[in-house]
Amino acid sequence: MADDRAAPRDTYASSASHHPVQEELAGRVHFDQHSVLKRLKVLEVDEVQVDRCEKKIRREFAGDIRLLKELVEDANGLSKEELDSVRTNSKAKKTEKEMYPPLDKIFQCIEDAAARHLSSGIHRAFVPQTEYLVPDQYHTLAFPRYIPDFTLLQDRALLADDSNTVESQKRQWRHQAAFVEIRPSSKQHPGNSQNPQARPLLIEVANYARVHLSARPFSVFSVNLMIFGDKFCLCIFDRLGGLVSPVFDMWRNLDMFVRVVWNMTCVLTDEELGCDPSVSLHSNPGLSSANEAIYRIHSGDESGYQWGWCTQGPVLWTSLSLVSRGTSIWRVRALSRDGIPIGPVRIMKSSWRSSLLDSESDTYQVIETIKRYSSNAGRPLAITEWVSGGDVTVENKVNGTMETITARRLRGGFYPEGEGTIILHRMIFAQEGRPIWEYDDEGELLQAFIDVLKAHKALVEGGLLHRDISAGNVLLCMRNKPGPGGAVGFLTDFDFAQISEVHAFPQQPVATPVKPDRAYGNVPSRLNDPDMVRKKRSFIDFKRGAPMTGTWQFASRDALKALKTGNTQFQVTAKDDVESFFWVLWYALLRHLVNQNSGNSKERETIYNIFDEEFGGTTAENILQPRKAGPRYGDVMAAGEYAAAHCMSYALLQFFTSYDMHFVKYMDKEVVEAYRKTHAARPGITLLNLSEDDAALADPARWFTHDKMINDLEACLEYSRAHRMDVDM
């Protein structure tokens, strides 16, 4: 069940649209996969216990089975339009809800039988959900709100406790081991091998999976059960797509349904239901609480950090995409032999990388070379200081060898031929940062952007292009802890960086790669492992369509146009990155204003709606549409007295006004006239008399250069300081 209503203003929730994931799934779902049954050990359940449980269900719940069959028969008689209706009062939806109570009884019967027979200590429970599931905290842009029909609650004991703390845990994604989605008609199947295009049921389940992977910390795949009419199947989603099991008949194959529920509730380990095998809950009771789990990340090597790391607080950032790197950012500290946190707080990044590309750890070694030989040599660049990193390894419990965690390893019996795999990669950084929108005053914000733009320029001159400038990759230094060279902000996340084929310093000897402090896995990766073979970094990645990388909400308009039109020849350049900095700056100002939650209710509502329209888009088309006219700073300033006084200083207002000269030329012709009329009515803004053939004004390469943006922001900073006109943040 998806929600389209606006969320409370502190959640930044978006409409629960299923459209983005539909594009991600193209060609990445494989049906009739028996490997799903093998991974979930469905055929390993004791035959005697299965037979006994099946007979009990048929005997004691005959009335419920009869009711379910009648409901399915009614639903199968509905038209496609009636079945596809999303109205909560539609006949299909009402029929679906009537299926919940009898299914709940069958779930409980199997759970009770498994719990009585087994002594595994694993006691999960399928529970119907009536409220939105939430993350521990809203750490990402536009976190959707969903209500799966049933979820697999991690700890069955929580059902017996109705305290406020436990009630909150029941609604948190991290306490759900899996979920169930139900449709009343067998015609609402997820798809099949003959027609592999994902149907609405599978698309909705995939959307739940992406949120589950994002909000359930350190998950590597998500398991779900789909019931459609009198049929059911299982699906496992990971960062490469989905694997769907064969379809079974609910009543002719009731034994198979018993096996599935039996194993998921009382047999399968957390690792077998998708948890990262290299991470565990920290066993030190003094470090964890009911509302905040502390995770122990195991090193898997014999370095000075052999006792691993533990998280400090909730996740700082996590990806909401499904087929992606699955990036998550955490604060961590090293652990002593006794499991006690020691040393300074570091930043840990976990993400999946393509085996066809060099690792991000290798890229940081190239950055060290650029630092040495660039025109900024001797002056530290505002770039996060890399401590160590590598591909994540875990011990094989059968033979004791260390194995790298890859999608191929997790999938076991199935993997598409002719493709590379993806590898779980982890890095540790020295700098602890703050989100860019949590600036204390405008001067801090401007200086941070100047710092990172200068660093980005030096990297480009050295032959390295970032290609993923976003609000999650431009950070503020911690208060009273300046960055390299006294920087206020710094740039991070070089997973999508491209290194030029021609090195920018041909006259210099090739620098010996920096030997990392081995804190996680083997660095560099083992070249004798077929999954580890690295190739030259290029624009190629495992996304489909145009070779665009990074976070769509901050992409340049040219990159978004390429995505929209399917232009596979488009290549990101330095001016695209600089334009992304422009949109990140606007995002930081707008989100900072939203976070203040000040002004009257109408003003707050207006500002939030603008924020959602500007940055809540999830497809190239709906991100690009509002971007054609440039930032809506005028609408924000006109929202009310608080916004007018606190959004930005006069100097920064002039900065955005100057860029109107570019945006008015960049817009489609049919909206230019409307734009002129709107802006002509704004007090204090003078429109230049722009000739229609002035192509220079429409050229992004003229506007989005390092020197121009650095000079413009330095002028803003100097003017604001000289006139003491910074807004009071």
Side-chain angles (χ1 to χ4, degrees):
M1 185 185 302
D3 169 51
D4 289 321
R5 294 175 293 174
R9 293 300 168 251
D10 61 347
T11 66
Y12 308 103
S14 68
S15 165
S17 167
H18 297 305
H19 184 65
V21 81
Q22 183 175 4
E23 297 178 347
E24 291 186 72
L25 290 180
R28 295 199 169 272
V29 178
H30 304 275
F31 295 91
D32 300 321
Q33 296 301 314
H34 289 269
S35 63
V36 173
L37 306 178
K38 182 179 180 180
R39 288 171 65 177
L40 300 180
K41 300 181 177 180
V42 172
L43 300 180
E44 297 180 21
V45 186
D46 188 307
E47 291 279 359
V48 174
Q49 297 303 322
V50 171
D51 183 65
R52 183 178 298 169
C53 188
E54 179 184 353
K55 288 178 179 178
K56 181 177 181 179
I57 292 171
R58 293 189 186 278
R59 180 179 65 252
E60 297 184 9
F61 299 96
D64 296 287
I65 293 174
R66 186 164 51 251
L67 173 59
L68 286 169
K69 289 181 177 180
E70 291 171 356
L71 291 171
V72 171
E73 184 178 359
D74 290 344
N76 284 339
L78 297 176
S79 66
K80 183 179 184 300
E81 291 71 23
E82 289 175 304
L83 290 173
D84 290 344
S85 175
V86 297
R87 293 182 295 107
T88 56
N89 63 347
S90 69
K91 187 171 183 180
K93 288 296 181 184
K94 290 180 179 178
T95 302
E96 178 186 316
K97 290 180 180 179
E98 290 180 57
M99 295 174 67
Y100 297 170
L103 283 172
D104 191 22
K105 292 179 184 178
I106 295 173
F107 279 133
Q108 289 186 41
C109 177
I110 303 171
E111 293 161 15
D112 291 342
R116 284 194 303 269
H117 179 70
L118 301 171
S119 57
S120 63
I122 300 172
H123 298 288
R124 304 187 187 94
F126 282 102
V127 295
Q129 290 290 346
T130 58
E131 297 185 77
Y132 306 111
L133 296 187
V134 297
D136 289 8
Q137 74 169 53
Y138 292 90
H139 39 64
T140 62
L141 174 73
F143 201 95
R145 300 196 303 174
Y146 293 125
I147 310 176
D149 297 327
F150 283 75
T151 61
L152 182 59
L153 191 64
Q154 183 65 40
D155 185 358
R156 191 180 187 184
L158 294 176
L159 296 176
D161 190 336
D162 59 357
S163 64
N164 290 337
T165 298
V166 172
E167 285 300 317
S168 174
Q169 291 177 3
K170 292 176 186 176
R171 291 189 56 212
Q172 290 179 341
W173 277 106
R174 76 175 170 95
H175 290 286
Q176 318 305 322
F179 54 91
V180 182
E181 194 60 18
I182 298 168
R183 291 292 183 275
S185 171
S186 56
K187 294 189 291 186
Q188 295 172 289
H189 64 85
N192 50 56
S193 298
Q194 290 71 39
N195 183 17
Q197 183 176 2
R199 291 168 58 90
L201 171 58
L202 188 65
I203 293 169
E204 184 164 354
V205 167
N207 245 315
Y208 293 170
R210 73 182 177 99
V211 174
H212 191 214
L213 287 169
S214 175
R216 186 189 186 206
F218 298 106
S219 292
V220 291
F221 59 84
S222 177
V223 178
N224 75 86
L225 171 63
M226 290 180 281
I227 300 174
F228 42 101
D230 54 3
K231 304 292 190 294
F232 72 93
C233 65
L234 292 155
C235 183
I236 298 178
F237 278 103
D238 57 27
R239 296 300 181 178
L240 277 180
L243 302 179
V244 183
S245 77
V247 173
F248 298 95
D249 186 278
M250 190 77 155
W251 311 121
R252 286 198 294 268
N253 305 116
L254 182 56
D255 64 318
M256 189 63 71
F257 190 78
V258 171
R259 293 172 182 276
V260 168
V261 177
W262 184 289
N263 271 10
M264 292 180 72
T265 54
C266 293
V267 175
L268 297 174
T269 65
D270 292 343
E271 178 182 335
E272 289 166 335
L273 282 175
C275 289
D276 184 339
S278 68
V279 177
S280 62
L281 280 173
H282 199 289
S283 58
N284 189 327
L287 297 178
S288 299
S289 67
N291 292 323
E292 183 178 301
I294 303 299
Y295 297 92
R296 180 170 188 160
I297 300 96
H298 303 276
S299 305
D301 69 23
E302 300 301 324
S303 70
Y305 296 103
Q306 61 181 309
W307 310 114
W309 304 81
C310 73
T311 59
Q312 302 287 293
V315 64
L316 298 177
W317 177 270
T318 182
S319 169
L320 263 176
S321 297
L322 177 60
V323 182
S324 70
R325 296 177 296 161
T327 302
S328 63
I329 308 294
W330 297 79
R331 291 188 179 98
V332 297
R333 291 178 68 191
L335 287 172
S336 69
R337 181 183 211 133
D338 299 323
I340 305 300
I342 57 175
V345 174
R346 304 289 196 187
I347 293 295
M348 184 189 73
K349 173 187 173 184
S350 287
S351 64
W352 293 88
R353 73 174 186 87
S354 169
S355 63
L356 302 179
L357 302 177
D358 289 333
S359 74
E360 189 175 356
S361 292
D362 295 329
T363 302
Y364 276 100
Q365 296 180 45
V366 174
I367 290 173
E368 290 300 317
T369 302
I370 294 175
K371 286 180 179 179
R372 293 174 183 174
Y373 299 114
S374 73
S375 58
N376 288 271
R379 292 187 298 164
L381 299 178
I383 299 171
T384 184
E385 181 184 344
W386 176 67
V387 174
S388 61
D391 298 323
V392 180
T393 58
V394 67
E395 183 179 0
N396 184 311
K397 296 178 182 178
V398 177
N399 57 30
T401 61
M402 298 302 293
E403 295 181 353
T404 306
I405 298 179
T406 69
R408 189 187 301 273
R409 177 184 181 273
L410 293 172
R411 288 189 167 193
F414 175 83
Y415 200 83
E417 294 184 5
E419 292 191 18
T421 187
I422 53 174
I423 305 164
L424 188 58
H425 194 75
R426 229 167 245 147
M427 291 174 294
I428 305 294
F429 301 101
Q431 276 84 13
E432 186 182 1
R434 292 181 287 142
I436 190 65
W437 56 87
E438 292 184 2
Y439 54 90
D440 292 329
D441 57 59
E442 192 177 280
E444 181 184 34
L445 176 69
L446 291 172
Q447 187 61 62
F449 271 87
I450 292 168
D451 292 339
V452 295
L453 277 162
K454 288 181 177 179
H456 186 273
K457 179 183 179 183
L459 293 177
V460 171
E461 291 173 345
L464 187 145
L465 185 63
H466 190 284
R467 301 200 306 159
D468 188 18
I469 303 301
S470 73
N473 297 336
V474 179
L475 299 177
L476 295 168
C477 297
M478 299 301 289
R479 297 176 181 88
N480 303 318
K481 292 183 180 180
V488 172
F490 60 93
L491 186 60
T492 186
D493 197 348
F494 288 84
D495 196 27
F496 279 145
Q498 182 230 3
I499 301 170
S500 300
E501 292 190 22
V502 180
H503 200 276
F505 313 111
Q507 73 281 11
Q508 300 288 353
V510 176
T512 302
V514 177
K515 194 68 176 176
D517 181 5
R518 293 175 65 228
Y520 208 106
N522 298 311
V523 184
S525 303
R526 293 170 291 139
L527 297 181
N528 62 337
D529 186 334
D531 280 346
M532 300 296 123
V533 175
R534 299 185 315 237
K535 300 182 180 180
K536 190 174 185 65
R537 180 176 289 272
S538 70
F539 282 98
I540 299 172
D541 60 37
F542 51 85
K543 286 180 178 285
R544 300 198 181 274
M548 175 197 163
T549 60
T551 309
W552 290 21
Q553 282 84 359
F554 306 101
S556 71
R557 291 152 304 159
D558 283 344
L560 289 170
K561 281 189 171 181
L563 279 165
K564 179 182 175 182
T565 60
N567 176 12
T568 59
Q569 302 304 310
F570 178 80
Q571 293 187 343
V572 176
T573 65
K575 68 91 181 169
D576 295 295
D577 268 14
V578 175
E579 183 178 339
S580 292
F581 278 115
F582 179 88
W583 297 112
V584 172
L585 175 61
W586 174 232
Y587 175 91
L589 288 162
L590 194 51
R591 181 157 182 178
H592 183 90
L593 188 62
V594 170
N595 282 6
Q596 298 300 303
N597 201 32
S598 299
N600 59 48
S601 59
K602 183 178 179 181
E603 184 176 1
R604 293 196 302 270
E605 185 75 16
T606 299
I607 293 169
Y608 179 81
N609 287 339
I610 293 173
F611 172 79
D612 191 53
E613 291 166 9
E614 295 273 75
F615 293 102
T618 50
T619 66
E621 183 173 3
N622 61 28
I623 295 171
L624 180 62
Q625 187 57 40
R627 193 152 293 181
K628 293 177 179 179
R632 292 173 56 189
Y633 62 88
D635 295 334
V636 173
M637 302 288 278
E641 293 182 2
Y642 184 86
H646 294 83
C647 181
M648 66 181 78
S649 67
Y650 177 77
L652 199 50
L653 175 63
Q654 294 303 105
F655 167 83
F656 282 105
T657 303
S658 70
Y659 277 80
D660 276 344
M661 293 188 293
H662 166 60
F663 288 113
V664 74
K665 298 300 294 187
Y666 192 96
M667 287 190 298
D668 295 338
K669 291 182 179 180
E670 58 266 25
V671 298
V672 169
E673 189 57 35
Y675 175 89
R676 286 179 177 276
K677 290 179 180 179
T678 301
H679 282 246
R682 290 182 182 171
I685 298 178
T686 303
L687 274 176
L688 299 183
N689 184 18
L690 305 176
S691 61
E692 291 298 325
D693 60 351
D694 188 357
L697 284 171
D699 182 10
R702 168 182 168 177
W703 291 87
F704 296 111
T705 67
H706 291 103
D707 290 341
K708 174 173 172 49
M709 190 160 288
I710 290 170
N711 291 337
D712 287 348
L713 293 178
E714 286 179 336
C716 287
L717 183 59
E718 181 180 356
Y719 181 91
S720 294
R721 287 174 174 171
H723 294 79
R724 298 178 179 271
M725 292 183 67
D726 273 343
V727 292
D728 180 13
M729 298 296 173

